Amino acid sequence: MTEPENQRPYEVPFPVEPMDYEGALAHLHGILRLGICPMLETVVDMLAELGRPDGRFSVVQVAGTNGKTSTSRYTAAILAGEGLSTALYTSPELVDYTERMEVAGRPVSREGFARAVAAAAEAGRRVNAAREAAGKRPYDVTEFDTLTVAACVLFAERGVDVAVLEVGMGGRWDATTATHPAATCVTGIGLDHTRILGDTLEEIAGEKAAVIKAGQACVLGRGTAEPPSVQDVLLERCAAQGVAPAVVRAVGEPTPAGLPVCRFSVVSEPAALGDPLVLDVEAPLSAYRGLSAVKPRYQAANIACAVALAEGFLGRPLDPAALAASVAACPTPGRFDLVRAEPPLLVDAAHNPQSVAVFLDSLGALDGAGRVPELVCAVLADKDVAGIVGLLADAFPVVHVCRTPSPRALPPEELAGLFREAGATVASVSPTVAGALAAVGDAPAVAVGSITLAGEVCRVLRAGTGE
């Protein structure tokens, strides 16, 4: 664990025109049109303009295709249990933008969120004014650039000890990489954002491996083991940076020679919704027995990854009792989440073939499920849509397709056609998630296909209850 510089409480070093929450959302929505701009200079210059608020706390960075949000959440919870003032930055939100930034396990206030967005927006304006004065092209300051800088401002203002930052996309050019992480993790590799990151697993692994830098503690999750060519890309990056990563594997799985290993074993897995998962973790610095969480089996690898990452960051063993309490209490919204008990509605943020396969395995492991649920599905166009549809079409007899508000969402008519080609019965096609849920009616249902779908289902249900 590296200590940030001991300085006076952080303050934004220039005047900022105040924003309320609605104004902050309007600003963010206004820059969505800029899309994704893969470059770090924008965020580096904005943070410099703000006096490097990210230097006021330590940073743990979590990258990967699958499992990075859960691993980030568990890591933050574990570090908080070790007595650190801890912040968490994840994306996307399920319902409210404030969910992307947490301090001490709770989303920040709308007022604090708006103040931080206003500071980030002003920093971007000042940076671009200086660039124009120097005859340079202004930056396209994207939504994610702005949110990442805003999170750093807010966390610095709150005086946190450590912030766990989830990578938004890839790693090499992600806004979170503009900070200086003391520890980093790659949870796994899958085909994701192929238009930007590359068409092969090896290309994508190279983009994510770029977060690994000399002097950091590093963890490679279980999902980085296969295929061997992906593991090779990550290990070559580690070797080039002089980093000896801890590798996470289930007991009995092979490991690269000469590296520290974090092994986990599932002692018991849930047989029904609400049953606990129990696991043992043998991390590089200590063994932890009987960790328990009311989660599906697939979370075992993420919990083990977080344990290894927390150990690596702290450079010491964890307190066993505090670890057990942190794991048991850590929420994972939108991940195998029973958002309505009757009629049952289960949501999961699975958004590529690997995570969908894991979800289906967890669903199939539950006894007494009764009637096969109907499927509500929406996907993003830059995913492996054919792979997702192929798995889901085999598992669910009745499908309701829809579209989320994301500009990257696949048109529902196109998605319906793919399901029909795969042999599924498409019961309804809706332009909205609310329409698909209405078509499901009182039938048991599962909503899976994208992170934004999980969030939109939660938003629709919350609106229906007047919350």
Side-chain angles (χ1 to χ4, degrees):
M1 174 180 175
T2 58
E3 296 289 343
E5 295 182 16
N6 185 18
Q7 299 169 321
R8 293 178 298 175
Y10 175 77
E11 296 181 359
V12 175
F14 46 73
V16 175
E17 186 71 24
M19 286 184 183
D20 59 15
Y21 182 67
E22 288 70 26
L25 293 187
H27 176 78
L28 294 170
H29 293 158
I31 56 179
L32 272 174
R33 61 181 174 78
L34 298 173
I36 298 165
C37 301
M39 62 185 299
L40 289 181
E41 292 88 344
T42 308
V43 177
V44 169
D45 288 356
M46 290 169 67
L47 290 172
E49 187 72 20
L50 284 157
R52 296 301 307 209
D54 56 308
R56 303 300 185 102
F57 48 84
S58 296
V59 172
V60 175
Q61 185 185 29
V62 181
T65 304
N66 299 314
K68 61 182 176 178
T69 301
S70 293
T71 299
S72 297
R73 286 192 169 279
Y74 279 114
T75 303
I78 292 168
L79 293 176
E82 292 292 323
L84 299 178
S85 173
T86 305
L88 175 65
Y89 177 60
T90 60
S91 63
E93 73 285 351
L94 286 182
V95 179
D96 196 295
Y97 261 86
T98 59
E99 297 168 16
R100 296 192 181 206
M101 305 174 195
E102 295 185 10
V103 175
R106 297 179 62 85
V108 301
S109 68
R110 289 188 168 189
E111 293 76 16
F113 178 90
R115 183 178 65 253
V117 169
E122 176 61 17
R125 189 197 67 76
R126 293 168 68 93
V127 165
N128 275 341
R131 288 182 64 81
E132 289 180 320
K136 300 178 180 178
R137 181 187 180 279
Y139 292 132
D140 292 329
V141 182
T142 68
E143 179 206 34
F144 196 72
D145 292 340
T146 302
L147 285 168
T148 303
V149 172
C152 291
V153 168
L154 197 150
F155 298 159
E157 288 180 337
R158 294 290 294 270
V160 304
D161 298 317
V162 57
V164 179
L165 306 183
E166 178 193 353
V167 169
M169 181 183 299
R172 186 185 308 277
W173 307 115
D174 190 77
T176 62
T177 304
T179 65
H180 301 291
T184 192
C185 169
V186 180
T187 59
I189 303 296
L191 289 175
D192 206 21
H193 303 296
T194 52
R195 295 175 185 173
I196 295 172
L197 302 182
D199 295 325
T200 69
L201 291 174
E202 293 76 19
E203 288 175 329
I204 293 170
E207 292 302 304
K208 296 183 188 296
V211 302
I212 301 167
K213 297 183 177 68
Q216 295 176 337
C218 178
V219 175
L220 300 181
R222 187 191 189 195
T224 65
E226 295 292 340
S229 57
V230 162
Q231 179 175 268
D232 290 345
V233 170
L234 292 159
L235 292 181
E236 286 169 7
R237 172 68 181 184
C238 289
Q241 295 295 311
V243 171
V247 294
V248 178
R249 300 290 186 268
V251 168
E253 293 177 343
T255 60
L259 294 176
V261 180
C262 178
R263 293 194 181 277
F264 69 92
S265 59
V266 174
V267 177
S268 65
E269 58 185 290
L273 287 172
D275 287 352
L277 166 74
V278 181
L279 70 153
D280 294 338
V281 178
E282 296 182 10
L285 300 181
S286 188
Y288 310 96
R289 308 293 181 187
L291 301 179
S292 178
V294 181
K295 305 294 180 186
R297 181 188 178 95
Y298 71 77
Q299 289 289 11
N302 297 326
I303 293 169
C305 203
V307 169
L309 187 56
E311 272 197 355
F313 171 73
L314 294 169
R316 60 170 174 79
L318 307 175
D319 177 85
L323 173 63
S326 298
V327 168
C330 180
T332 54
R335 273 71 186 173
F336 215 84
D337 195 356
L338 187 66
V339 294
R340 188 179 65 200
E342 201 58 45
L345 177 57
L346 183 71
V347 302
D348 192 89
H351 56 283
N352 52 44
Q354 295 94 330
S355 57
V356 168
V358 169
F359 167 76
L360 293 175
D361 182 64
S362 297
L363 188 65
L366 301 180
D367 294 330
R371 176 181 170 187
V372 177
E374 298 183 6
L375 172 68
V376 174
C377 187
V379 299
L380 301 183
D382 58 356
K383 306 296 182 178
D384 181 359
V385 179
I388 294 171
V389 169
L391 290 170
L392 293 175
D394 286 341
F396 297 99
V398 178
V399 180
H400 302 266
V401 301
C402 55
R403 179 175 186 160
T404 67
S406 171
R408 293 156 48 208
L410 189 73
E413 297 80 7
E414 186 176 341
L415 182 59
L418 293 171
F419 268 108
R420 293 188 183 104
E421 290 175 9
T425 298
V426 178
S428 70
V429 180
S430 174
T432 66
V433 174
L437 292 176
V440 168
D442 293 332
V446 164
V448 65
S450 78
I451 299 171
T452 54
L453 172 63
E456 186 66 5
V457 169
C458 293
R459 189 196 66 78
V460 170
L461 292 182
R462 183 177 294 184
T465 60
E467 293 184 9

